[in-house]
Amino acid sequence: QVQLVESGGGLVQAGGSLRLSCAASGRTFSNYARGWFRQAPGKEREFVAAISWSGGTTHYADSVKGRFTISRDNAKNTVYLEMNSLKPEDTAVYYCAASTDITRWARQYDLWGQGTQVTVSS
């Protein structure tokens, strides 16, 4: 069964850091772009960051640019999201996803993980 599994979420104080991981199993996703999205209670799912299959191209939402870094290790079939200088407004469920092309649009992602909760306290 093909699946993406996120981990690394938790509770952190404002200004702190977390590192999310998204491991793929069931098949290789080394030739797929990967993305991170988040959804806060009562809000729509929003784009956070994306990385091309090679890792050579990355995109970030303006709200996280300079604070978050997306990276990947194709040998481990894993994508990471390093989150620094966290703010209370970063609180959300974070989802990783796989797509044939790097994109900010959620509808273009074919496979999604179950999500991991990130809570930033003030």
Side-chain angles (χ1 to χ4, degrees), residues 36 47-51 55 57-72 80-83 102-104:
W36 286 95
F47 170 77
V48 175
I51 188 167
T57 301
T58 56
H59 295 317
Y60 295 93
D62 288 343
S63 59
V64 307
K65 200 172 294 183
R67 300 189 297 123
F68 291 11
T69 302
I70 188 171
S71 62
R72 66 189 298 160
Y80 306 95
L81 186 68
E82 185 75 34
M83 305 185 295
I102 185 171
T103 176
R104 297 170 178 261

Side-chain angles (χ1 to χ4, degrees), residues 40-94:
K43 295 187 176 181
E44 292 186 354
R45 188 170 298 189
E46 65 173 358
F47 170 77
V48 175
I51 188 167
S52 62
W53 68 269
S54 68
T57 301
T58 56
H59 295 317
Y60 295 93
D62 288 343
S63 59
V64 307
K65 200 172 294 183
R67 300 189 297 123
F68 291 11
T69 302
I70 188 171
S71 62
R72 66 189 298 160
D73 184 339
N74 285 340
K76 296 182 178 180
N77 232 359
T78 301
V79 173
Y80 306 95
L81 186 68
E82 185 75 34
M83 305 185 295
N84 299 313
S85 303
L86 283 162
K87 305 175 181 180
E89 51 264 42
D90 294 318
T91 296
V93 177
Y94 283 70

